[in-house]
Amino acid sequence: MLKKLSKIFRKSTPVVSNEPHIIKDGQHPLSPKQISAGARKVVEQLSSDGYEAFLVGGCVRDLMLGLKPKDFDVATDATPEQVNQLFKRSRIIGRRFQIVHVRMGPEIIEVTTFRAHHTDKKSSGNDSRRSSKGLLLRDNIFGSINEDASRRDFTMNALYYHPQDNSIYDYADGLPDIEQRLIHIIGNPADRYREDPVRMLRAVRFAAKLGFQIEDNTEAAITKVHQLLADIPSARLFDEVLKLLMHGHALSTFRLLRQYQLFGILFPATEAALANDPGYYLTFVEQALTNTDIRIRGDKRVTPAFLFAALLWPALKEQEKVFSQGDASPIYALHQAAGEVTTRQCQRVAIPRRFTLPMREIWELQLRLPRRAGSQAFRLMENKRFRAGYDFLLLREDAGEIESGLGDWWTQFQDADEDKRQTMADSVQQPKSKRRRKRRKPPAKNPVHD
Ligand code: ATP
Ligand code: MG
């Protein structure tokens, strides 16, 4: 079907035209039944009130590819306030980019008002703001559907679907690009990245997720402007990093991010450590990402704390070297290094405390897991991070950081009955601890003044 569709098109440049290519009922594989009930209702309600409304973005793209959409987004010419008035259970969210969340039963549908370009005339007022580098600080200038199409990131994301007449409206030649499996930015690539550098991360995410190529010009501009990503607020980068790593293609995403020098902007200390790889850093990180992908594809839970613990492990190991000098104890070096690595990382990607605290516990368990004599092993198993710490240990063994053996011991210990556990714990030789760091002499209680 896609092959046939491409014959309808002649243009190959991603310029938005005023007249869309309309692919009518029967000429494409989509059907309204594939749209969630909530999204259909939102479109119907908006249309019956006289507004234009379409399904747009990832859901149309994914359905054309035969994939299950992650969510259904609606675009309309109704303003956020009008949408908010029309739907009882809705609220306006966001400042930089206002949208409306409409609740329909168990679903939340994102409704976005058509956006326009920021010409000087339209941009006066406080709903549009740009930084001196061209970054869009606010993007709330509303416009027509074709203006909206030109404001979207990639051609494949600028397809509008009308479930009522079962037609697709393609303003930017997105369908031929989908057919050629190309990620093609709309408009001038460097300008579009300058407006919003997160688009570079989105290009990588879609390339990894869909197995698409990034079109040459879209790709070349990344090399020129990749540094602009550092200007994005750390809280937004945290959201984007989660999206990059939690969609089941984290390994290929990581490789592409490194290829386009974006990884070093997101994780500067890890990228620097990878340059000093003692032989296992890269294997370790890639193995952690592979395991994450397997878990996500198997619908198993993945905790971001574990993921960040793994991604920052090379940075931690390098930083530990700095604090292990002299007679510092390993636990002292670990704590100091963990503090330093976490603080610096959060300046770039704001990982919330609910993830950094367990992440640091997973790291600390790496020092505690070898100390399992007597009752220690039993106590360790009670620790709420035990399972994550144990998985992390197995990863380190697999990557060749440490000799295997300890992981096996813990596997057997978990499988054993109480008696066997006791025998195992009794026969462990406690590893010798490194000399403690000298404590500073406490100040004299009654200092003598002369
Ligand atoms: P998925 O939901 O599968 O991750 P998506 O393409 O739907 O992919 P969303 O983040 O849900 O991604 O965004 C919905 C649509 O909004 C996109 O398809 C695109 O048209 C537009 N969009 C999102 N982010 C940007 C951006 N930074 N710049 C321009 N357009 C964007
Ligand atoms: Mg989406």
Side-chain angles (χ1 to χ4, degrees), residues 57-59 61-62 70-71 73 151-153 157 192 196 199 202 205-206 209 236 243:
C59 60
R61 175 198 70 218
D62 288 350
K70 203 177 78 192
D71 43 35
D73 301 318
R151 300 281 312 118
R152 294 196 173 259
D153 47 7
N157 288 344
R192 299 305 311 281
D196 184 3
R199 288 172 187 151
R202 289 175 59 85
R205 173 154 65 91
F206 294 129
K209 174 178 155 176
R236 184 167 177 221
K243 284 189 212 159

